[in-house]
Every structure is written in C-alpha cells, then in structure tokens.
C-alpha cells in the first residue's frame, strides 16, 4: 500500500526539495528570473524539515528522520535522460547539465544566493539525445557522458569535471550504429571502475570497460542469445539474482543475467514484465531496482508517466507483478530513496538524484512522492485523521481567504491492479 503525496507549487512556479545536513529536506517553491546576463531564482516559500511533512501527511506509524541507510543517491546503473543533477560541487554550487537542439551539453551551477552561473556550452560532434553522469576518474568530481546522434552517425562524448564546476573539452568515442538513445554507467566487471554500456540496437549492446582514469578500453559488442534489443529500449543494470554480479533489465522486460565480466549475459526465459505501450514520452518508461519489501530480493518498479507498476523479485531474475498505481502525466523519471528517513524506500516521480528532487520539464511545479502504508487499515486511519486534523483545516481556510491556490489537482492514490 502507498500514499501519493503531491509536492506542488502554483502553476507559474517550480518546486524542489533539497537535502541538507543530516539528510533533512527543505522544500523550495521558486520562480526562475531571466536577466540580461544571468539567471536567478526568486524563492517564494521554503519549508524546512520537509521530510517530516511528507511523513506526517501520510500518518505513518514509523519514526521519521532516522535514515539508517543514509541518504546518498547512487547514479550507477540508471538510464541516461535529458537532465542530470550533478549534486553539490567542490565550488559550493549545485551543478546540473542538460542539452538543447544544438550539438552541445549545457552546464550551469546554482550559487548559495540562488543565482545561476552563466550556462556553458560543451560541444559534441552530433546533437545529444541523452546524458548521464558518474565519477569516471575517481577525483571526486562528477563527469558527464553524452550520447549523440544526428541520424547518420552515433557517438558518446566524455566531459571530465573540474573542481570549479567547469569541464574539460569532450573526448568522443565512435559508436557502431547511427541510431542510439540510451546508456548506463556502472561497474559491470567488478574492478572498481565505471564502465559504459550503450544500447546500439540490432539486438546488441556496446560495452566500454573503464580504466578508472576517465578513459575506456576498446569497444566490445555483446549480443546475448535470444536478445530482442531495439535502440529505443531503455535499460538499467542491477544485481537481480543476488550473485553479486551486475545484470541488465530492459524496458521491454527482458532480463539478462551477467557472468561478472561485463561481457557475458544470459537471457532469462520469462520477461520481468510485459511490454509497456502507454509511455508518455520517448524517455519513458523508467525502471528502478531495489529491495522495496525488505525480503532480501531485488524488486523492480516502472513509471511510464501514467502508471507506476511494481514487480516483486524472486531472487533468481524472475518477477511477479505487484500493485500498480495511477500517477501524473510527467516524464516518468523515477527515483527510489528514503525521503522521510523511516528506513523504508519510497518512490519519487520527477527529476531527482544527488540530493535534489523536483518537478520535471513536463510538470515543473508538481512532483509526486509515494510513501508506503503497511496495509489498507492504516490508509483508512490516515483518511480519518486527515479529516480531523486542525492544521489541515487551517491550511484549507487560509487558502480560501488568500486565494493562494490558483490550480488544485488533488489525487487519491489508486491501486489499479
């Protein structure tokens, strides 16, 4: 069971939650201001310790603000997308990267005073189609990899990060196919170095094993028997059968068990889930893997921008469908993280990683957090308590008097399967 908490702002604003010291969340509602020489933010409201607000709104019986497993978000094994939050850099700025229709990755940083550094264009040989990040050379700075294509040529470009938030000129790696979309960074062979895996289609993946210095060994083509891989398929890497070796799961539900060398994979005959045909955009569905029910086995969750679906892992690379929930029509980006610190993993739908969680470019003023209820009885207690809660009544009365809510979209989480 779960409770869908809308983290919303007025339609002209944006919303974000930022991790601070001790894993606490601050909710910021802000407006972007475009000046002649810089971009700044005007914060209209801040709510500190917002993890408690999320927790209390769900009327959970667990204890918030414990964070027994910490609050560091791993970006390893996550599919590339159209935006990456690079976290807090050594220069004290929150760093981010995206791209537009030009042949460049766009990077910028947000200063502590809320102003942004000027956007820097980092040139790529072809227009980027997706980007991802990781510390490729182990210097403590986040690096960026862009996956590029102009329909005729495909490539990957590596931008190594500097301590001041800038990036070294890109080094480009040729890809064997002209059509590419998605990639993953993860340590696939267990040597402690991040490897690059690119879906180059034609029922195969292109693997570049990392050297740990920001460079990669020559390309190796991996074509598992029985694979049906199209270049538009998203995919993740995770250990889904508990053998401490990284496996691959595609957005078509195919599961490939890894042998631990980063190059040898065996198809599981039974798909993890059926093909998803309701995705809201080309970057969906998204997949995350983690042990959500604490049975020691990795589970899967997908978000296609319309429905969040769960699949319980059997510990051998096979999965059984669990509850599915209606959600909002965003990009479908999904993060598994302990938002409220009660020791249970929650789902966050929106842009999120490295301690920053907010609405995406489809719905910048809305993000959703799915906080688990133990059972239906606990949910009914939540509904009863909400009707009697004095703070909730005061908030409704204030909204009526001030007119501060210009658009209201209240959704009750609904299990649809």
């Amino acid at each position: 069971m779960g409770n869908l908490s809308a983290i919303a702002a007025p339609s002209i604003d944006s919303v974000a939650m930022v991790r601070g010291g001790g894993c606490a969340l601050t909710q910021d509602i802000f407006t972007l201001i475009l000046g002649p020489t810089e971009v700044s933010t005007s914060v209209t409201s801040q709510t500190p310790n917002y993890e408690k607000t999320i927790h209390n709104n769900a009327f959970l019986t667990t204890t918030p603000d414990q964070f027994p497993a910490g609050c560091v978000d791993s970006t390893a094994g996550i599919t590339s997308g159209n935006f990456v939050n690079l976290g807090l850099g050594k220069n004290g700025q929150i760093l981010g990267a995206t791209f537009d229709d030009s042949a460049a990755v766009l990077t910028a940083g947000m200063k502590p005073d809320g102003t942004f550094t000027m956007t820097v264009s980092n040139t790529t040989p072809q227009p980027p189609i997706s980007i991802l990040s990781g510390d490729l050379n182990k210097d403590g700075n986040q690096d960026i990899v862009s996956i590029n294509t102009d329909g005729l040529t495909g490539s990957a470009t590596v931008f190594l990060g500097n301590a001041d938030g800038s990036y070294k000129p890109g080094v480009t790696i040729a890809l064997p196919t002209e059509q590419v979309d998605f990639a993953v960074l993860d340590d696939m062979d267990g040597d402690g170095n991040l490897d690059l895996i690119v879906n180059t289609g034609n029922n195969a993946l292109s693997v570049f094993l990392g050297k740990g210095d920001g460079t990669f060994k020559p390309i190796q083509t991996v074509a598992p028997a029985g694979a049906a891989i199209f270049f538009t398929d998203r995919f993740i890497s995770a250990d889904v059968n508990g053998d401490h070796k990284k496996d691959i799961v595609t957005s078509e539900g195919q599961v490939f068990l890894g042998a631990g060398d980063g190059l040898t994979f065996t198809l599981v005959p039974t798909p993890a889930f059926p093909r998803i045909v309701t995705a809201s955009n080309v970057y969906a569905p998204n997949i995350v893997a983690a042990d959500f029910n604490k049975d020691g086995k990795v589970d899967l969750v997908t978000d296609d921008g319309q429905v969040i679906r769960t699949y319980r892992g059997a510990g051998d690379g096979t999965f059984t469908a669990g509850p599915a929930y209606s959600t909002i029509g965003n990009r479908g980006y999904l993060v598994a993280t302990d938002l409220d610190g009660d020791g249970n993993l929650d789902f966050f739908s929106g842009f999120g990683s490295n301690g920053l969680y907010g609405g995406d470019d489809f719905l910048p003023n809305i993000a959703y957090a799915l906080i688990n209820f133990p059972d239906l009885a606990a949910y009914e207690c939540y509904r009863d308590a909400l009707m009697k809660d004095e703070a909730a009544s005061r908030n409704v009365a204030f909204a009526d008097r001030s007119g501060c809510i210009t658009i209201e979209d209240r959704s009750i989480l609904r299990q649809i399967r």
Side-chain angles (χ1 to χ4, degrees):
M1 295 297 295
N3 175 38
L4 188 64
S5 297
I7 304 161
S11 58
I12 60 172
D13 291 334
S14 297
V15 63
M17 298 186 298
V18 182
R19 292 266 192 215
C23 299
L25 288 171
T26 296
Q27 184 209 41
D28 291 336
I29 295 177
F30 60 93
T31 301
L32 289 176
I33 301 172
L34 303 179
T37 59
E38 65 178 8
V39 178
S40 63
T41 60
S42 175
V43 177
T44 57
S45 70
Q46 284 189 315
T47 305
N49 299 115
Y50 198 69
E51 72 282 356
K52 295 180 180 179
T53 300
I54 295 173
H55 183 90
N56 292 337
N57 284 348
F59 288 91
L60 297 173
T61 58
T62 52
T63 304
D65 264 344
Q66 303 301 301
F67 295 101
C71 57
V72 177
D73 300 321
S74 173
T75 58
I78 298 175
T79 318
S80 54
N82 67 339
F83 171 84
V84 290
N85 169 43
L86 302 165
L88 185 65
K90 294 179 181 178
N91 61 356
Q93 299 173 5
I94 297 176
L95 306 176
T98 186
F99 54 88
D100 57 16
D101 293 333
S102 65
V105 171
L106 308 177
T107 57
M110 187 173 73
K111 304 173 187 176
D113 63 2
T115 60
F116 286 79
T117 61
M118 289 297 297
T119 299
V120 176
S121 294
N122 304 272
T123 303
T124 58
Q126 297 87 29
I129 190 68
S130 66
I131 55 177
L132 63 167
S133 65
D135 186 0
L136 298 175
N137 57 354
K138 305 178 185 179
D139 64 352
N141 302 315
Q142 285 289 300
D143 310 309
I144 301 170
V145 178
S146 68
I147 305 303
N148 321 305
T149 180
D150 58 6
L152 299 175
T153 303
S155 66
T157 303
V158 178
F159 299 94
L160 296 180
N162 299 314
D164 63 358
S166 65
Y167 297 86
K168 295 178 174 62
V171 176
T172 295
I173 306 169
L175 296 176
T177 57
E178 64 277 8
Q179 293 284 4
V180 289
D181 276 1
F182 301 114
V184 159
L185 284 171
D186 202 351
D187 180 9
M188 302 300 291
D189 58 358
D191 66 352
N193 303 323
L194 287 178
D195 309 310
L196 175 64
I197 309 94
V198 184
N199 179 0
T200 45
N202 297 325
N203 302 323
L205 302 170
S206 293
V207 177
F208 301 85
L209 297 178
K211 297 181 180 179
D213 59 359
T215 65
F216 298 92
K217 297 176 183 179
I219 182 174
Q220 299 198 56
T221 299
V222 175
I229 303 173
F230 196 58
F231 75 90
T232 56
D233 295 345
R234 299 177 64 84
F235 68 103
I236 64 169
S237 58
D239 177 13
V240 299
N241 63 343
D243 63 355
H244 307 290
K245 300 171 183 177
K246 291 299 178 74
D247 312 306
I248 289 174
V249 182
T250 76
S251 57
E252 296 291 294
Q254 288 199 311
V255 178
F256 300 95
L257 300 181
D261 60 359
L263 302 172
T264 307
F265 296 89
T266 302
L267 174 66
V268 176
T270 305
F273 49 81
R275 184 170 183 264
I276 297 172
V277 296
T278 55
S280 63
N281 65 103
V282 297
Y283 293 101
N286 278 263
I287 316 166
V288 293
D291 181 9
F292 297 106
N293 57 359
K294 295 184 176 180
D295 65 351
K297 302 168 185 176
V298 169
D299 311 304
L300 299 176
V301 179
T302 66
D303 185 349
D304 63 5
Q306 298 187 51
V307 179
I308 293 176
R309 299 174 173 89
T310 64
Y311 302 90
R312 300 186 181 97
D316 59 358
T318 63
F319 297 84
T320 302
Y325 304 97
S326 57
T327 182
I328 56 176
N330 60 2
R331 285 278 190 187
Y333 289 124
L334 191 64
V335 181
T337 188
D338 185 3
L339 288 171
D340 59 346
D342 68 349
N344 297 318
L345 283 175
D346 310 308
F347 308 146
F348 180 84
S349 184
F351 281 148
S353 66
N354 290 316
L356 178 66
Y357 315 93
D360 62 25
D361 55 328
F362 270 23
L363 292 172
N365 64 317
I366 301 177
Y368 272 21
L370 179 59
I371 310 296
N372 286 333
F373 284 114
D375 50 41
L376 181 60
Y379 176 69
E380 293 300 332
C381 289
Y382 153 75
R383 287 175 58 93
D384 292 340
L386 184 64
M387 298 297 293
K388 301 173 184 177
D389 186 72
E390 294 182 3
S393 299
R394 288 196 300 269
N395 289 339
V396 172
F398 174 79
D400 289 341
R401 292 195 308 271
S402 64
C404 64
I405 298 178
T406 58
I407 297 177
E408 180 178 358
D409 181 8
R410 178 172 174 81
S411 300
I412 302 298
L413 183 63
R414 178 171 60 93
Q415 182 173 324
I416 60 174
R417 184 175 64 231

